Amino acid sequence: MDILLKTLIELAPALIVGIVIWALGEKAIKDRMKSDAIRDLMAYRGDYASSDFRRSLNKISVTFHNDPEIRSKVRNLYEVINNPTLPSKSTERTIVGLIYRLCQKNGFKGLTEYDIDQAFPENKQNPQESIE
């Protein structure tokens, strides 16, 4: 019995370290998934009728399924997008609001809605030539 107890006592620190490393790895994976989902939504926000935007919004729904506030904001965005009577500016503001809230809740401190508005969506990054 003493040998078993001694063995357990000697292995306990290694077991604890292993569990801590595993937990930190799991957190890093979850944080990466959240960042990727936010980045995708940000990249495709300029063309909310595209399948890429819909995929990125679905990714947000799945990734943040445990967050009631985000789920509610996604639901609201779907309602706004699917309401043909609302102006497109309303849809754009709702998208920016969702991205802003996602950023605030996930470590992107200091980012403002203005910053999100000013960042170019990927599909809109072809500048027009100016004729002078």
Side-chain angles (χ1 to χ4, degrees), residues 98-117:
L98 172 61
I99 293 170
Y100 176 75
R101 192 64 191 130
L102 285 165
C103 289
Q104 291 301 301
K105 291 183 92 171
N106 291 284
F108 297 88
K109 306 297 181 203
L111 187 69
T112 66
E113 288 189 39
Y114 178 79
D115 296 330
I116 295 166
D117 270 339

Side-chain angles (χ1 to χ4, degrees), residues 126-132:
N126 297 327
Q128 301 292 322
E129 287 186 37
S130 62
I131 302 172
E132 294 181 31

Side-chain angles (χ1 to χ4, degrees), residues 13-132:
L15 182 61
I16 291 170
V17 168
I19 290 170
V20 168
I21 290 172
W22 173 81
L24 290 174
E26 287 295 308
K27 182 182 179 337
I29 290 169
K30 287 179 183 177
D31 289 347
R32 173 79 184 228
M33 285 174 50
K34 289 177 178 182
S35 293
D36 287 347
I38 295 168
R39 186 194 72 230
D40 287 351
L41 186 64
M42 183 83 168
Y44 299 116
R45 77 187 186 286
D47 187 9
Y48 50 85
S50 74
S51 58
D52 287 330
F53 177 80
R54 297 291 175 143
R55 265 190 235 99
S56 68
L57 197 52
N58 288 339
K59 192 174 186 180
I60 292 291
S61 294
V62 170
T63 304
F64 295 95
H65 71 278
N66 286 330
D67 188 327
E69 179 190 2
I70 298 302
R71 284 187 13 232
S72 174
K73 287 192 171 292
V74 168
R75 221 174 292 123
N76 179 53
L77 177 56
Y78 275 122
E79 290 171 8
V80 170
I81 288 172
N82 292 317
N83 186 344
T85 62
L86 292 176
S88 64
K89 216 39 163 169
S90 177
T91 303
E92 291 168 10
R93 297 303 327 143
T94 306
I95 293 168
V96 168
L98 172 61
I99 293 170
Y100 176 75
R101 192 64 191 130
L102 285 165
C103 289
Q104 291 301 301
K105 291 183 92 171
N106 291 284
F108 297 88
K109 306 297 181 203
L111 187 69
T112 66
E113 288 189 39
Y114 178 79
D115 296 330
I116 295 166
D117 270 339
Q118 297 308 305
F120 290 103
E122 277 185 16
N123 62 341
K124 302 275 183 173
Q125 289 187 357
N126 297 327
Q128 301 292 322
E129 287 186 37
S130 62
I131 302 172
E132 294 181 31

